[in-house]
């Protein structure tokens, strides 16, 4: 039996002041004219709450780019949902934050690009480092829980100790250290982002020591670089299992990257209710559970642990979303990943193709 989702990732817009080359937004970004209007987003939140959603993550792009963010936040909070603002921090003022807090904001997730100011600004494509420090101070002054998120890659992985110290300085309650997932702009920049095994080997002990030292003060979540792993990581706790994503134009996805699977029908809130999409659509039922699996996944003792790996990654690398994730050493397509690691990893960092604006 399909359970109700717990979380809704509301990608309010693809507009963003940053140009991060690892961005997982699609290369073909949704333009402002195609974004859902305020009333439709509010209906989406109504349907999500009726469906069982408890958490609404207001994301993008940069959600602060939406003038109606206060109205959207107030609506989600008024439904009894836990609200989380996923932001770059650029554009967050004391006045804007105070308004959002008064309307029911529960939590903020703030992105950082590096602990080194110059490199952070180079990665972001704008001078935003100091503004992120200021945003973190505002969030802590407002006594909101703060998660700091750092996407790791070749250009900043050697600074992981400094990134942890930066999160401490910001007063983070939680730190997400997430090695890059190669979708959207990150896929376009894969050769420039792929870390070496040596970088990863050096970073692991730093993270483990920080977890020990900061236990009880700051939670640290470390997402491994799965191209280098023997087993794929669990993806979203399984396809269509706990969370759904609504893109700026109303497309509804089982995970933020699922638009890459062009073999699946596109679901949209303008045509169907969230309940119909979640329970009845071909898209959300395609890879639920384990019955869709082929060998070697079907008989693998890890099938209830990693769910065959990432469907989006499988499709991008093999053209078949039902294939075993090629990251897995048991996959017949594992050579594809090995080939990427052999041919794309370089000692020097290639130039980034920076995420464009819309």
């Amino acid at each position: 039996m399909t359970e109700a989702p717990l979380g809704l990732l509301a990608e309010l817009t693809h507009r963003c002041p940053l140009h991060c080359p690892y961005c997982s937004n699609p290369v073909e970004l949704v333009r402002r004219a195609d974004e859902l209007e305020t009333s439709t987003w509010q209906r989406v939140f109504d349907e999500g709450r009726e469906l069982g959603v408890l958490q609404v993550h207001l994301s993008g792009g940069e959600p602060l780019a939406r003038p109606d963010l206060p109205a959207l936040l107030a609506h989600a909070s008024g439904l009894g949902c836990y609200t989380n603002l996923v932001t770059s921090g650029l554009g967050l003022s004391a006045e804007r934050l105070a308004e959002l807090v008064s309307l029911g904001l529960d939590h903020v997730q703030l992105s950082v690009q590096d602990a080194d100011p110059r490199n952070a600004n180079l990665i972001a494509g704008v001078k935003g480092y100091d503004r992120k420090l200021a945003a973190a101070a505002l969030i802590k002054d407002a006594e909101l829980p703060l998660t700091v998120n750092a996407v790791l890659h070749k250009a900043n992985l050697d600074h992981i100790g400094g990134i942890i110290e930066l999160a401490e300085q910001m007063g983070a309650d939680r730190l997400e250290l997430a090695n890059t997932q190669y979708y959207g702009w990150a896929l376009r920049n894969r050769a420039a982002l792929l870390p070496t095994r040596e970088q990863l080997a050096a970073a692991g002990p730093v993270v483990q020591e920080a977890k020990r030292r900061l236990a009880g003060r700051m939670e640290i979540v470390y997402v491994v670089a799965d191209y280098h792993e023997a087993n794929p990581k669990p993806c979203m706790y399984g396809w269509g299992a706990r969370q759904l994503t609504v893109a700026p134009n109303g497309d509804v996805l089982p995970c933020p990257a699922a638009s890459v699977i062009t073999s699946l029908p596109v679901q949209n809130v303008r045509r169907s209710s969230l309940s119909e999409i979640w329970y009845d659509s071909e898209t959300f039922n395609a890879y639920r559970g384990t019955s869709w699996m082929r060998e070697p996944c079907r008989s693998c003792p890890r099938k209830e642990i990693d769910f065959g790996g990432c469907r989006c990654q499988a499709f991008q690398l093999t053209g078949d979303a039902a294939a075993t994730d090629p990251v897995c050493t048991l996959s017949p397509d594992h050579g594809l990943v090995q080939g990427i690691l052999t041919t794309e990893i370089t000692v020097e960092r290639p130039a980034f193709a920076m995420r464009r604006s819309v």
Side-chain angles (χ1 to χ4, degrees), residues 71 86 89 137 152 165 241 255 293 321:
V86 184
L152 303 173
E165 291 176 5
C255 77
M293 292 181 177

Side-chain angles (χ1 to χ4, degrees), residues 51-89:
L51 190 56
V53 164
L54 298 175
Q55 302 172 351
V56 172
H57 306 276
L58 301 165
S59 180
E62 175 51 68
L64 290 168
R66 292 274 307 215
D68 60 352
L69 178 61
L72 297 178
L73 172 69
H75 195 85
S77 179
L79 294 169
C81 294
Y82 185 89
T83 57
N84 175 31
L85 179 67
V86 184
T87 179
S88 68

